[in-house]
Amino acid sequence: GAYDLNALEVDQFMWNHPDFLIFFSNGNVGSPRTVASPASAKNDVGAGGTGNGVNLNKIFFLTSRGPTADGRRKPTICAPGQSVSSAYVAPNSYQSLSGTSMASPALAGAAALVRQYLTEGWYPTGARVPANGFVPSAALMKAMCVNSAANDFLVFSAPDSNVGFGRVDLDSVLY
């Protein structure tokens, strides 16, 4: 959970490029105060993992958790990180993988959908009106993902340093 040079460089980059939203896997240690750098950065999104399917409301047991060394909450938000189907070496081949490295791309994909929703003009009516479209900042996309988070965990109650603000659920912020 240390705020080291890697975390500082991520924050500097994001400050200098306000349209970049960066996601990092929290790590797979499974105990408190084990969030890895650069997920410990202040402006990025630290990705925690949940179960998948019927286990969606359980934390993935190997998710590295906060708080960071300076007391900040990490992970930021969670997405499925256990038993996720992923492409494999051969064409049309898949394998089941687990870890916060599976949750991070799911969260980045969610943010990409938020960006597309806003740039195509779906906000505020829920219908595509190109004149309503705008390019959102990274801060707005992060805020929408965080505010979409579901607090339906069996053991933890978001916000906390185990599941962050909860599991991303874009249906709760997109019309």
Side-chain angles (χ1 to χ4, degrees):
Y3 189 77
D4 63 8
L5 181 60
N6 286 335
L8 172 69
E9 288 176 338
V10 168
D11 283 337
Q12 286 177 336
F13 180 86
M14 291 182 71
W15 178 263
N16 292 325
H17 302 88
D19 54 337
F20 275 78
L21 181 56
I22 301 176
F23 295 80
F24 285 105
S25 303
N26 244 37
N28 299 312
V29 178
S31 57
R33 299 190 177 276
T34 57
V35 61
S37 177
S40 61
K42 297 175 182 177
N43 298 318
D44 69 351
V45 176
T50 66
N52 207 349
V54 297
N55 293 317
L56 200 58
N57 59 354
K58 296 178 183 173
I59 189 171
F60 171 56
F61 69 99
L62 289 178
T63 294
S64 290
R65 304 167 194 185
T68 61
D70 58 359
R72 288 175 292 108
R73 183 179 293 125
K74 289 288 180 165
T76 311
I77 49 178
C78 294
Q82 187 172 8
S83 303
V84 176
S85 294
S86 181
Y88 192 57
V89 178
N92 303 319
S93 179
Y94 298 91
Q95 65 180 345
S96 180
L97 297 171
S98 295
T100 57
S101 292
M102 301 296 101
S104 185
L107 292 170
L113 290 173
V114 168
R115 186 179 195 285
Q116 181 178 0
Y117 184 88
L118 296 173
T119 56
E120 288 183 356
W122 293 90
Y123 176 83
T125 63
R128 186 174 186 200
V129 179
N132 290 341
F134 65 95
V135 178
S137 66
L140 177 60
M141 291 187 297
K142 180 178 178 180
M144 290 180 76
C145 288
V146 166
N147 282 288
S148 81
N151 182 16
D152 60 356
F153 291 93
L154 293 178
V155 177
F156 303 108
S157 183
D160 74 2
S161 289
N162 296 291
V163 295
F165 288 94
R167 180 181 39 80
V168 70
D169 178 14
L170 293 184
D171 283 343
S172 67
V173 294
L174 303 181
Y175 182 79

